[in-house]
């Protein structure tokens, strides 16, 4: 009997070890490897499936595609693709429920010739880091946090461009990609104070341009950062990332630390200017980023349904950004013509523009 018991114990240990290995393997697949679609044009047929190597001189762009905003993503992609002669590779990050919709949108429209890969993001990675907030639930969408995890995506480049889905690119994306990064910097952003032409817009809609608008300076953790509340903020919806430096500096771990702190202490919230995805970036990259030309992120177009920029100024902008609650695919919103110029109707008819009845 003692021999049988020993055998049973050995078998039990082996079973426990096997289960542990399986769980470890599952956790390592938290990001993007569940499902993806590769596509190259015939001109790029020599590229091995599943990779976009840097030696091909492609410009990698990361953009998210949620089910409810897939048409916005396609408009952004169309504007980039149409305004450059460079070879662009799109990493389209989405959730499982939107993989098929995203693939169909590309394959059944004029975008069928772009180079792309669809990557699936697992929102379970955010467990214990983001809590519900009813003031701006759209800012809590899991894809808003993809920018934190760029090095963990299935990307074969050391430098990438990250773009929100509420932008239109009017300039040549190659110029943005080739920005000269300062030594030791993991990212390049456009600050909220560098473009005088936007100051009147900012004042009129009450938009915040300093750290005071994003962090709760009553909290001890914020005070201990030593960041002056009037320091100029930046917008993390458009940036160039050096993934080698990002990994070296463990940027993702730093961002997760502040997400967890906020989960426990509520040091920022969606009620503040930038929601919950902007403050960790502001903290981690404070005084540690390269400045982009502000024409590469002309923003606040979505902060008021009434306040307009001048046409001449908007024509000079390399990139237009409808950050804020008033998106150009909904109504009301401003400068709709500049966005609709690049909109591609959804072949599945799940995404449609919301317009006043008089315009229908």
């Amino acid at each position: 009997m003692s021999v049988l018991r020993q055998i049973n114990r050995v078998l039990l240990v082996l079973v426990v070890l096997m289960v542990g290995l399986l769980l470890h393997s599952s956790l390592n697949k938290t990001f993007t490897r569940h499902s993806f679609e590769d596509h190259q044009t015939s001109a790029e047929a020599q590229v091995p499936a599943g990779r976009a190597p840097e030696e091909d001189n492609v410009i990698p762009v990361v953009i998210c595609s949620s089910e409810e905003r897939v048409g916005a993503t396609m408009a952004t992609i169309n504007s980039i693709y149409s305004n450059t002669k460079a070879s662009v590779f799109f990493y389209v990050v989405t959730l499982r429920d939107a993989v098929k919709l995203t693939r169909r949108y590309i394959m059944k429209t004029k975008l069928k010739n772009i180079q792309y890969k669809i990557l699936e993001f697992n929102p379970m990675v955010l467990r214990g880091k983001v809590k519900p907030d009813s003031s701006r639930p759209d800012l809590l969408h899991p894809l808003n946090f993809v920018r934190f995890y760029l090095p963990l995506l299935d990307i074969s480049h050391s430098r990438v461009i990250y773009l929100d889905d509420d932008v239109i690119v009017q300039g040549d994306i190659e110029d943005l990609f080739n920005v000269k990064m300062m030594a030791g910097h993991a990212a390049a952003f456009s600050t909220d104070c560098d473009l005088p032409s936007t100051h009147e817009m900012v004042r009129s809609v009450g938009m915040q341009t300093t750290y005071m608008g994003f962090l709760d300076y009553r909290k001890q953790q914020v005070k201990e950062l030593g960041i002056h509340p009037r320091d100029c903020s930046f917008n993390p919806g458009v940036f160039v990332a050096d993934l080698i430096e990002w990994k070296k500096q463990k940027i993702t771990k730093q961002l997760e630390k502040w997400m967890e702190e906020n989960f426990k202490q509520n040091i920022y919230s969606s009620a503040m200017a930038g929601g919950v995805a902007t403050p960790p970036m502001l903290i981690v990259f404070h005084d540690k980023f390269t400045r982009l030309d502000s024409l590469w992120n002309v923003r606040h177009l979505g902060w008021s349904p009434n306040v307009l920029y001048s046409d001449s100024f908007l024509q000079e902008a390399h990139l237009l950004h409808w950050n804020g609650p008033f998106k150009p695919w909904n109504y009301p919103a401003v400068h709709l013509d500049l966005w609709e110029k690049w909109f591609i109707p959804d072949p599945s008819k799940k995404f449609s523009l919301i317009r006043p009845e008089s315009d229908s």
Side-chain angles (χ1 to χ4, degrees), residues 281-295:
M281 299 282 278
L282 292 177
I283 294 171
V284 172
F285 285 102
H286 180 253
D287 281 345
K288 296 177 182 177
F289 66 91
T290 297
R291 290 193 175 192
L292 293 175
D293 181 342
S294 290
L295 289 176

Side-chain angles (χ1 to χ4, degrees), residues 307-325:
V307 182
L308 302 173
Y309 285 119
S310 70
D311 290 338
S312 59
F313 172 63
L314 292 177
Q315 288 174 5
E316 296 176 2
H318 304 321
L319 183 148
L320 304 173
H321 192 175
W322 278 264
N323 61 311

Side-chain angles (χ1 to χ4, degrees), residues 166 322 326-330 333-336 339-340 353 355:
D166 54 359
W322 278 264
F326 299 99
K327 303 301 184 185
W329 52 89
N330 291 332
V334 297
H335 302 299
L336 302 179
W339 188 86
E340 287 188 14
L353 304 183
R355 294 293 181 259

Side-chain angles (χ1 to χ4, degrees), residues 39-41 71 73-84 88 90 102-116 168-169 339-348:
H39 179 84
Q40 286 85 28
T41 64
T73 302
M74 299 307 153
T76 302
I77 291 175
N78 187 30
S79 70
I80 296 169
Y81 181 67
S82 301
N83 286 312
T84 185
V88 183
F90 295 96
T102 299
R103 182 186 299 122
R104 179 180 175 84
Y105 216 129
I106 294 173
M107 296 181 68
K108 298 295 183 179
T109 65
K110 61 182 291 187
L111 297 178
K112 62 185 178 182
N113 291 324
I114 67 170
Q115 300 178 80
Y116 71 95
I168 290 296
V169 177
W339 188 86
E340 287 188 14
K341 178 180 179 181
W342 307 105
F343 173 65
I344 300 173
D346 180 5
S348 68

